[in-house]
Every structure is written in structure tokens, then in C-alpha cells.
């Protein structure tokens, strides 16, 4: 079966603190895969807590933009390249992000929950000395907190990101177990015109599911959600468009016959 999803709208390069891949390598790999377009969504997580590996998720946006524009021009006959960002949301950053989005003309903005009350679930400390279910619930509650303060993103990223790093990952996680709070998240996003993404990172983390899981995507559609972007969350070339065939099948199973890409912050709906 021919590839049905030809845009990868969530990827990182060496402009993100957790990637060492030059941007041009990501572009060349996307071309070799036959993609029509990509959107870089480099990390910006202000006030990121101190970590054992001393990572700081800052971003030199002007230099990033300049490099992207040069590659966009160089490869314009082979690939559409769009300018995005992944904002690490925390309630007290609402004014900072509001002003940033007034100043910068991004094509696409992902809002994501990485830091939960001072901890990133990527690090085991988040899960220490408490039940995994409580850690997951706190993560989902923090999403509601973030939405209450800031909703100017185009989509909310990897809504169940936390399960990637839980001690049991998703062996005891399901939509049904957290249905009430997940439904509330989806309803609030829909009411604010914010979409979600199908992030295939869950597959390469061994979950057997995208983030969020299929049941959440299905529920989003049932509640009237229409905007859904696709991204592999690649930080290296070999993860670009990862398991996009499975992503297309999930979308169709959940009632979508299209996926969404953004240009100048406006959604475009592409048929599967």
C-alpha cells in the first residue's frame, strides 16, 4: 500500500537540546522517504528544572529560523519545509508565550506538557514513592491547568506522554481508567479550537500505541474533534515518518479520512 501520510509535522534537530542531528540531515532523510513536507518543531521549555544531565531547553529562535529559511530555499524543489515550535507549557509561562507568538510568524505551534509541577516524567524522580496511577493522574490534571492559562497553540502534543516513562509504561494504562479526565481535556481543547496530534513516538518507545492511544483519538473524534496532525517526534533521521502506515490505519479506524497540516497557523486538511 502506498504511503498515505506524506507530512511529518513533529520533529527536532540540533536546535533542540535533546537532539544532536543537523537540520539538513533531517531534510535529506525526509526527501529520501518521498515525503511532500515536514515541519520542524524545535523545543522551547523556559523554566525547565535542573536535571541530572544538565539539559536546558532554550532555543535561539532567530538563528533557528534563519537556518530553516536557507534549507527551505535550497530544497524547495524537493520538499516543503515549515517553521514550527513545540512549547513546553506551564501555567506561569502564559504571558511569555502569548508575546512570543505575537512576535514570531510560525507555521505551526504545538503545546506540550513536559514539566509537571517542577518535574519532567522523563526522569524517574517523578514516579518515586507513589503509585504510578497517581503520577499519571497528576500529569493529566496539569494539562487542564495549562489549558486554563494558555490555549493559543494549534494542537496539544502527545497527550499521554507520561506513559512512555512510567515504570510499567502502558501495561496498566488505558483510556477507560482515566476516561473522565481525558474526556474533560478533549472537550476543553475542542471548545477552544485546539486540535491534537497523533504522535507515533509511542511506537518507537515500545508501547504498541501512538500518543495518545487509539482509544483517546477515537473519543476525540466522537466528541467532535476535527484537527489532528501527524508527527513521529523524530530526533534522529531514522525515526522520521516512523510507522506512518499504522498511523493512517488508526486514523481511519477512529473515523478520520484526512489529516491536518498547518501553514501560517491555518489548518489544511489532506485526504488519506
Amino acid at each position: 500500500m502506498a504511503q498515505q501520510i506524506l507530512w511529518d509535522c513533529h520533529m527536532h534537530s540540533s536546535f533542540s537540546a535533546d537532539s544532536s542531528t543537523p537540520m539538513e540531515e533531517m531534510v535529506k532523510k525526509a526527501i529520501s522517504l518521498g515525503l511532500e513536507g515536514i515541519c520542524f518543531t524545535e523545543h522551547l521549555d523556559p523554566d525547565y528544572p535542573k536535571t541530572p544531565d544538565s539539559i536546558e531547553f532554550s532555543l535561539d529562535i532567530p538563528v533557528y529560523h534563519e537556518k530553516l529559511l536557507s534549507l527551505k530555499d535550497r530544497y524547495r524543489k524537493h520538499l516543503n519545509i515549515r517553521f514550527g515550535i513545540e512549547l513546553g507549557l506551564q501555567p506561569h509561562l502564559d504571558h511569555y508565550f502569548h508575546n512570543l507568538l505575537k512576535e514570531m510568524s510560525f507555521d505551526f505551534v504545538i503545546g506540550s506538557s513536559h514539566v509537571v509541577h517542577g518535574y519532567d516524567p522523563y526522569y524517574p524522580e517523578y514516579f518515586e514513592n507513589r503509585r504510578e496511577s497517581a503520577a499519571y493522574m497528576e500529569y493529566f490534571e496539569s494539562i487542564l491547568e495549562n489549558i486554563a492559562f494558555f490555549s493559543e497553540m494549534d494542537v496539544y502534543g502527545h497527550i499521554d506522554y507520561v506513559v512512555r516513562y512510567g515504570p510499567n509504561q502502558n501495561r496498566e494504562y488505558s483510556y477507560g481508567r482515566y476516561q473522565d479526565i481525558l474526556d474533560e481535556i478533549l472537550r476543553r481543547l475542542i471548545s477552544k479550537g485546539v486540535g491534537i496530534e497523533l504522535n507515533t513516538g509511542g511506537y518507537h518507545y515500545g508501547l504498541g500505541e501512538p500518543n495518545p492511544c487509539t482509544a483517546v483519538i477515537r473519543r476525540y473524534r466522537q466528541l467532535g474533534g476535527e484537527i489532528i496532525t501527524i508527527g513521529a517526534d523524530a530526533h534522529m533521521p531514522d525515526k522520521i515518518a516512523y510507522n506512518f502506515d499504522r498511523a493512517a490505519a488508526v486514523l481511519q479506524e477512529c473515523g478520520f479520512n484526512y489529516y491536518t497540516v498547518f501553514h501560517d497557523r491555518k489548518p489544511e486538511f489532506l485526504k488519506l
Side-chain angles (χ1 to χ4, degrees):
M1 184 176 67
Q3 176 93 323
Q4 293 177 278
I5 298 170
L6 297 173
W7 281 79
D8 189 331
C9 292
H10 188 154
M11 69 172 60
H12 303 277
S13 74
S14 57
F15 283 100
S16 291
D18 55 356
S19 174
S20 58
T21 306
M23 187 179 278
E24 191 164 9
E25 287 188 23
M26 302 294 279
V27 169
K28 289 179 177 178
K29 181 64 174 181
I31 293 170
S32 75
L33 292 171
L35 295 185
E36 289 182 4
I38 60 174
C39 185
F40 284 97
T41 52
E42 305 293 3
H43 282 296
L44 176 60
D45 283 66
D47 200 19
Y48 190 79
K50 290 185 178 179
T51 65
D53 40 15
S54 300
I55 288 182
E56 290 186 15
F57 283 98
S58 57
L59 175 62
D60 190 331
I61 295 175
V63 175
Y64 159 43
H65 191 210
E66 182 180 7
K67 180 64 174 178
L68 185 142
L69 289 177
S70 71
L71 293 174
K72 183 175 182 177
D73 182 62
R74 185 179 310 164
Y75 292 99
R76 64 187 182 280
K77 295 181 180 178
H78 308 284
L79 186 72
N80 287 298
I81 301 173
R82 292 185 180 168
F83 178 45
I85 193 165
E86 182 177 11
L87 303 177
L89 302 181
Q90 297 185 66
H92 65 282
L93 299 174
D94 57 334
H95 293 298
Y96 176 83
F97 288 145
H98 172 76
N99 291 331
L100 173 67
L101 297 186
K102 283 203 303 185
E103 294 167 7
M104 296 300 300
S105 298
F106 295 104
D107 285 305
F108 179 47
V109 177
I110 301 174
S112 293
S113 290
H114 297 131
V115 176
V116 182
H117 306 139
Y119 294 90
D120 186 335
Y122 176 84
Y123 296 97
E125 291 79 4
Y126 177 75
F127 296 95
E128 284 180 357
N129 303 316
R130 60 177 176 158
R131 295 177 58 143
E132 191 172 36
S133 58
Y136 286 4
M137 183 60 76
E138 183 183 5
Y139 180 83
F140 295 133
E141 289 169 348
S142 79
I143 292 179
L144 289 177
E145 292 169 10
N146 286 331
I147 296 169
F149 280 88
F150 184 82
S151 58
E152 296 177 44
M153 55 281 187
D154 300 313
V155 303
Y156 214 103
H158 45 53
I159 285 173
D160 53 14
Y161 159 92
V162 66
V163 306
R164 292 180 182 177
Y165 309 110
N168 293 291
Q169 291 192 311
N170 61 352
R171 287 193 289 277
E172 298 175 12
Y173 163 75
S174 67
Y175 159 70
R177 187 168 184 179
Y178 301 90
Q179 178 175 353
D180 288 347
I181 193 163
L182 287 167
D183 280 2
E184 184 62 23
I185 290 168
L186 297 176
R187 287 192 180 97
R188 290 198 196 178
L189 292 174
I190 291 166
S191 73
K192 293 175 179 291
V194 178
I196 67 170
E197 70 163 349
L198 188 163
N199 186 308
T200 64
Y203 293 127
H204 60 77
Y205 276 89
L207 302 180
E209 287 270 10
N211 298 119
C213 63
T214 302
V216 172
I217 295 169
R218 182 183 297 112
R219 183 60 173 153
Y220 171 71
R221 187 61 169 160
Q222 290 171 346
L223 290 170
E226 298 180 341
I227 295 170
I228 187 159
T229 60
I230 313 297
D233 211 344
H235 292 65
M236 298 179 291
D238 65 340
K239 296 297 190 290
I240 294 174
Y242 189 87
N243 269 8
F244 270 20
D245 53 343
R246 293 176 73 178
V250 166
L251 284 183
Q252 291 171 328
E253 177 187 335
C254 294
F256 289 93
N257 57 16
Y258 64 86
Y259 63 103
T260 314
V261 301
F262 277 81
H263 183 221
D264 290 335
R265 306 293 309 280
K266 297 180 179 64
E268 303 170 343
F269 299 94
L270 305 180
K271 280 193 70 172
L272 289 169

